[in-house]
Amino acid sequence: MGNIRLSLSRPGDVELGHKLVREYLKMNLSVLTGEKKPGMMFAKEGTKGVGGPQHHMFNYQYNSKPGQDAPEKTFKDFPDIIRYMAQEQPIYRSPEDDKNVIELLQKRQQQAIKLRRR
C-alpha cells in the first residue's frame, strides 16, 4: 500500500461499509477469463492461523444481546480494515497499464525536449 489514510467513517457508515464489502465479495463473471471471481480477494498464504486475518473474518459477528446492534470487539479489527478499504471503492489498475502510461509520458517528454532544442 502506497499510503495510509485515516478512517473518515461517521456513525451510520458501518452499515454502508458492510453493504460495500458484501458487493465486493459477490462473485462476478470475468469476461477475460470466463471465470467467476469476487471483486476483492485475499492471499491464501500468510493470512492463516489463530488470530490471523482469516480467523478474524470467519469469526466476525454482531452482539446477540438485545438493544446492542454493534460488532463484537474480539474479531473486528481486520474486518474493519476491509470495510474502510471498501468505502474508498478501490479499482484495480494493472501494472502493465501503469507501465504504458509511463512510456507514453517519457516519449512526450523526449518530443518536447527535441522541439525546444531546435
Side-chain angles (χ1 to χ4, degrees):
M1 297 177 80
N3 59 33
I4 296 174
R5 295 175 68 175
L6 298 177
S7 169
L8 301 174
S9 59
R10 297 172 290 282
D13 284 351
V14 174
E15 188 176 336
L16 172 63
H18 288 167
K19 288 178 182 177
L20 284 167
V21 170
R22 198 174 304 123
E23 287 301 313
Y24 275 107
L25 295 177
K26 281 185 181 176
M27 300 298 276
N28 297 298
L29 180 64
S30 168
V31 293
L32 295 175
T33 63
E35 299 174 351
K36 285 189 171 188
K37 293 183 179 184
M40 187 182 286
M41 295 186 286
F42 305 93
K44 287 182 183 179
E45 298 301 319
T47 60
K48 296 179 183 177
V50 175
Q54 286 185 32
H55 184 238
H56 281 255
M57 290 295 282
F58 283 112
N59 288 289
Y60 184 77
Q61 58 188 323
Y62 270 74
N63 288 324
S64 56
K65 298 173 187 171
Q68 289 189 343
D69 190 26
E72 287 190 15
K73 303 287 185 207
T74 313
F75 298 107
K76 72 182 230 45
D77 292 338
F78 187 73
D80 278 348
I81 292 168
I82 301 307
R83 180 172 52 85
Y84 299 149
M85 286 176 29
Q87 284 178 296
E88 292 295 325
Q89 298 181 354
I91 298 171
Y92 175 77
R93 277 194 342 240
S94 81
E96 190 64 34
D97 290 344
D98 285 348
K99 182 181 170 189
N100 293 339
V101 169
I102 290 170
E103 288 174 1
L104 176 69
L105 292 173
Q106 287 173 339
K107 285 179 186 176
R108 283 185 173 177
Q109 181 184 26
Q110 290 170 359
Q111 289 172 348
I113 291 170
K114 282 181 186 177
L115 287 173
R116 289 183 184 167
R117 290 187 177 163
R118 288 186 181 176

